[in-house]
């Protein structure tokens, strides 16, 4: 049991991280956005994230992020040791990551309409109609069009990929230390029961 504890903890951490961790902010009354602002914000979102291409845009951002996370995890020294101890563990770990990546993509696809509406409402609270019109005009310019076409693929940039891998490697090192401390704590409580 104790040998598998690090993998169980890792699985729990990955599940929460890769499945789009949700904030647990307290529920507060939120002012309803002005109807004209909301209509304008919805038009803006339709312009910058056309409904026909939304899923592809989101997936083009998510795919490199997931690949970078996977690579960073696979470079973790502690995980490599654990996987080398049991040759079947690598296949199980790969299946786990595949499942989490597929689940994350499915959750994003299913949640996309709600995300777009939430974004429209957020824009409507922060910008008035004139400001939203200015933003729409920018996105109608050649520079705005170029930004829209490439902004979601920014996550695939080599510098961002390297940063994500480094971040994941650092997080894995810290998590391994935390898992080791937790394992010691659990062992101590089990020794106390004897």
């Amino acid at each position: 049991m104790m040998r598998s504890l690090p993998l169980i903890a890792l699985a729990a951490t990955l599940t929460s991280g890769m499945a789009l961790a949700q904030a647990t902010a307290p529920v507060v009354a939120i002012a309803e956005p002005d109807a004209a602002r909301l209509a304008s914000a919805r038009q803006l979102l339709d312009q910058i994230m056309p409904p026909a291409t939304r899923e592809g845009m989101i997936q083009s951002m998510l795919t490199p992020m997931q690949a970078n996370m996977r690579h960073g995890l696979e470079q973790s020294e502690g995980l490599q040791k654990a996987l080398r101890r049991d040759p079947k563990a690598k296949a199980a770990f790969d299946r786990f990551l595949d499942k989490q990546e597929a689940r994350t993509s499915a959750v994003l696809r299913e949640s996309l309409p709600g995300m777009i509406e939430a974004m429209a409402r957020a824009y409507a609270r922060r910008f008035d109609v004139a400001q939203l019109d200015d933003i729409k005009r920018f996105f109608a310019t050649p520079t705005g069009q170029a930004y829209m076409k490439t902004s979601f693929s920014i996550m695939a940039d080599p510098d961002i990929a390297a940063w994500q891998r480094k971040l994941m490697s650092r997080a894995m090192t810290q998590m391994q230390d935390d898992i080791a401390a937790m394992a010691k704590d659990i062992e101590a409580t089990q020794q106390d029961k004897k």
Side-chain angles (χ1 to χ4, degrees):
M1 170 63 179
M2 294 310 290
R3 273 184 62 193
S4 62
L5 189 60
L7 287 178
I8 292 168
L10 173 64
T13 302
L14 288 175
T15 301
S16 64
M18 294 181 76
L20 303 173
Q22 298 178 4
T24 55
V27 177
V28 294
I30 300 172
E32 188 65 23
D34 174 78
R37 285 178 164 203
L38 186 55
S40 185
R42 285 177 178 144
Q43 291 171 352
L44 172 62
L45 284 166
D46 283 348
Q47 181 183 2
I48 61 177
M49 292 180 72
T53 61
R54 282 180 184 160
E55 280 188 34
M57 292 170 84
I58 296 296
Q59 195 61 48
S60 72
M61 179 179 66
L62 183 61
T63 298
M65 283 176 48
Q66 289 175 326
N68 293 332
M69 288 178 69
R70 179 181 286 254
H71 181 76
L73 288 169
E74 289 171 346
Q75 299 309 306
S76 163
E77 187 177 319
L79 178 62
Q80 287 179 2
K81 285 180 188 176
L83 295 179
R84 279 194 299 265
R85 281 194 298 257
D86 181 359
K88 293 180 182 177
K90 173 71 171 125
F93 185 70
D94 286 340
R95 285 191 304 274
F96 170 80
L97 286 180
D98 290 345
K99 183 177 181 179
Q100 296 311 307
E101 290 171 1
R103 182 177 289 155
T104 298
S105 293
V107 167
L108 263 178
R109 277 192 306 277
E110 293 165 10
S111 303
L112 195 53
M115 181 189 82
I116 296 298
E117 181 61 17
M119 288 175 67
R121 296 172 71 79
Y123 273 74
R125 285 190 189 93
R126 285 159 178 79
F127 302 102
D128 63 31
V129 172
Q131 291 168 322
L132 290 164
D133 287 344
D134 286 344
I135 296 168
K136 285 185 247 179
R137 278 191 291 280
F138 166 73
F139 283 115
T141 68
T143 300
Q145 291 289 307
Y147 175 82
M148 285 190 306
K149 289 178 184 169
T150 61
S151 64
F152 285 91
S153 65
I154 294 291
M155 298 311 287
D157 185 85
D159 286 329
I160 291 175
W163 172 82
Q164 286 177 335
R165 286 191 300 271
K166 183 178 178 182
L167 180 67
M168 184 56 64
S169 177
R170 184 171 146 203
M172 287 300 299
T173 299
Q174 291 170 343
M175 184 174 55
Q176 289 165 12
D177 293 342
D178 292 344
I179 290 170
M182 178 185 65
K184 284 181 183 178
D185 286 347
I186 291 172
E187 282 183 41
T189 61
Q190 291 173 350
Q191 294 297 326
D192 291 344
K193 291 180 181 180
K194 290 182 181 182

